[in-house]
Each structure stands twice: as C-alpha cells, then as structure tokens.
Amino acid sequence: MSNIVEARSLRKNYGNFTALDGVDLPIPSGAISGLIGPNGAGKTTTLKALIGLCDVDGELSVAGRDPRRARHKLMEDVCFIADVGILPKWLKVSQLIDYVEAVHPRFDRKKAEKFLSTTDIPANKRIKELSKGMVTQLHLALVMSIEVQLLVLDEPTLGLDIIYRKEFYDRLLNDYYDGNRTIIISTHQVEEIETLLSHLLFINKGKIVLDTLMSELCEVYTEVLVDADKMAEADACGPIHVRELLGKKSYTFESVPKERLEVLGELQTPSVADLFVAKLKEDRHG
C-alpha cells in the first residue's frame, strides 16, 4: 500500500515553543487514520502543515505534492474541515451550497442536494436558525459531496452531543468512505472513532510516540488483569503502564511474548484510550 502522506523530520517552532519536533508521518492511501494527542501536542499544527496552512521545515509530500509550494493544486484533491461550528451562520443554506460550489472544483452539487432532500433542512433558512442536528446534517452533506483523495477532519464533532456525533461518523463511514479515499481524524473523543480506524498515531510534545496499523495492535500490545499473588511476576515482565482496577491491577505490556503473559491472567488488547494513557505516561517518564 502506497502512502498518500509522506512526512519526515517535520519541525515547527512558535518562538520558544516547539510544536513539531522531528515528526515522521506516513499515512497509507485508503486508510482511516486517527491522530490522537493531548492539548498542545502538535495535532492541529500537523494537520495545517499537511494542507499548506502552516510552513514547516522538513520533507513533506501530500497526494504527490509539496503543500508549501503547490497548495492551490493540492486543495483540488484534499478537503479540510474543522468543527461544525465554523459554518458561517449568516448565510442561508442555499447560499452556502452556492459558495462551496464556487470555491471547490470537486464539489458535486447534485449529490449535496440529494442528501439534503432526505432531511428537514429548508434551503431558505439561515444557518444560525438551524438546530445542532440540522447543522450536523448540513455539514455531512458538504463533506460527502466533495470528491477528493484526502479528507482531513480536525475535531469535526466538537460541541455536539453523542447522538449527533454518532450520526456524523456513521454517515461518514457508510455513505462517504469507499476504501479508496483517505481520512485523517483528529479528536479527543477517542472511544467514538476507535472502531472506524485502520491506522493509529499518537503525538505528544511534538513527537510521534506511536504509529501502528490497527490490525497489528493486538500483536504488539497486551493488557492483563493480574491477581495480587502474580504482581511481582508481572512487574518482572516490564509493563509500560499499571493501573488499579476492581481491586486488582491492570498491566499493559509492549512486545512481550503472550506465552510469557498467559500465566498472569486473562489477556486482552487494550482499548485505544487505555493505550493512549499508557504511552503518554511512558513518554513522560521515558
């Protein structure tokens, strides 16, 4: 599988603050990649670099182009969307469709109108008059009507309740993603996108601390709920993270043979959220 994004040694400073500190970022074509990190980790700077909104040092290619030199052409193949709250509230729905049609050469107006016909959104209403659910549906109509190679989503459901967040991701997966397009999602709501992802990246303090295919997660990382009489043995196996759970301790291991861990308790693959905590604490103490 080729990579739609190839980034090597990306660096970006804002005064004395280092936002990106030698980031390597391969994104496979056709993947749904999750870029996860705490506030200030470098997520938004990374995404802006990919679409030419942020100048960085290092090697960078997106869809075969350098965003720093060919942003205009690149944006014919890439769509960047932040949270739904950025839609211009003073425009009518019909005016917003007109605007997107005018600025994006790959926007399919008929597809957007077909999607909106399945909703209760009136074309003559201003966006500020729509409910949050309607704004979500309108946002989806725009996203799914732009034929691009790469869709970049930065906190796309920020501020929405769980029903509308679920609707957004369900429609994105079922009605937009076709296995050929690539989607990069950055969000704090890790649990909601875990089942969507095929590729996972953790970023912390401007560095990538994990880069793995979801299909390979279970081969590398193991979580074990350990009884008290096995804790010394578990400690000897070199866990990357230990947490209290139901009177026992949950141990997370990286690259430890499963046959060595089977005697400690029941094995399972850690959730993305639990692995995120484990890797960031390991990075903090490493």
Side-chain angles (χ1 to χ4, degrees):
M1 182 184 293
S2 61
N3 291 331
I4 192 168
V5 174
E6 284 284 6
R8 297 184 183 88
S9 301
L10 296 188
R11 296 186 179 277
K12 177 66 177 180
N13 292 318
Y14 295 101
N16 294 325
F17 176 71
T18 300
L20 300 180
D21 189 10
V23 164
D24 294 332
L25 194 74
I27 303 289
S29 297
I32 302 180
S33 294
L35 180 64
I36 313 298
N39 291 333
K43 300 186 301 297
T44 297
T45 300
T46 299
L47 298 183
K48 287 183 176 180
L50 299 186
I51 58 173
L53 289 178
C54 174
D55 196 23
V56 293
D57 295 324
E59 300 177 34
L60 181 58
S61 174
V62 180
R65 297 185 175 93
D66 186 332
R68 296 163 294 192
R69 298 177 179 84
R71 182 173 186 272
H72 179 73
K73 291 297 293 181
L74 175 66
M75 293 312 292
E76 294 181 7
D77 296 314
V78 176
C79 182
F80 173 72
I81 296 177
D83 69 270
V84 295
I86 67 167
L87 294 179
K89 293 179 171 50
W90 62 89
L91 287 181
K92 294 181 179 179
V93 172
S94 59
Q95 293 173 327
L96 179 62
I97 300 297
D98 291 341
Y99 173 76
V100 178
E101 183 180 34
V103 299
H104 207 296
R106 300 287 175 85
F107 179 70
D108 187 334
R109 185 187 187 102
K110 289 183 178 179
K111 184 177 288 188
E113 290 174 341
K114 182 179 179 181
F115 180 85
L116 289 174
S117 70
T118 67
T119 74
D120 296 323
I121 300 174
N124 62 345
K125 283 275 191 180
R126 298 189 187 278
I127 294 170
K128 66 181 179 181
E129 299 174 302
L130 302 180
S131 69
K132 281 189 175 181
M134 287 181 175
V135 173
T136 302
Q137 291 174 322
L138 178 57
H139 200 221
L140 277 165
L142 299 178
V143 169
M144 295 191 298
S145 303
I146 299 175
E147 300 290 338
V148 292
Q149 295 182 46
L150 175 63
L151 173 63
V152 180
L153 302 172
D154 187 12
E155 296 287 356
T157 59
L158 190 67
L160 296 178
D161 66 33
I162 189 169
I163 294 174
Y164 297 133
R165 296 198 303 266
K166 181 172 173 44
E167 178 184 3
F168 181 89
Y169 288 122
D170 283 351
R171 297 300 295 265
L172 186 71
L173 184 64
N174 296 323
D175 297 340
Y176 179 81
Y177 181 68
D178 60 2
N180 295 312
R181 296 185 179 100
T182 305
I183 302 175
I184 303 175
I185 306 172
S186 175
T187 180
H188 287 90
Q189 289 138 358
V190 180
E191 295 89 347
E192 294 179 9
I193 67 168
E194 180 170 356
T195 58
L196 308 180
L197 302 179
S198 59
H199 179 229
L200 182 63
L201 295 150
F202 291 164
I203 187 170
N204 190 36
K205 300 176 184 176
K207 296 182 179 181
I208 300 296
V209 297
L210 181 132
D211 176 359
T212 183
L213 296 176
M214 290 294 290
S215 60
E216 297 175 356
L217 206 63
C218 62
E219 299 174 11
V220 179
Y221 297 96
T222 309
E223 186 175 33
V224 189
L225 193 61
V226 180
D227 291 322
D229 62 337
K230 297 283 188 180
M231 288 180 185
E233 192 175 348
D235 290 335
C237 292
I240 62 171
H241 183 55
V242 182
R243 62 190 175 102
E244 297 283 347
L245 187 64
L246 301 175
K248 299 182 180 181
K249 286 188 177 181
S250 175
Y251 286 70
T252 303
F253 298 93
E254 180 176 352
S255 301
V256 177
K258 296 191 186 301
E259 54 269 22
R260 186 180 176 191
L261 301 176
E262 287 172 346
V263 298
L264 302 176
E266 185 178 347
L267 310 187
Q268 64 181 29
T269 303
S271 69
V272 169
D274 288 339
L275 183 59
F276 175 70
V277 172
K279 291 297 290 184
L280 263 64
K281 288 194 173 181
E282 179 194 35
D283 186 52
R284 184 186 305 166
H285 300 300

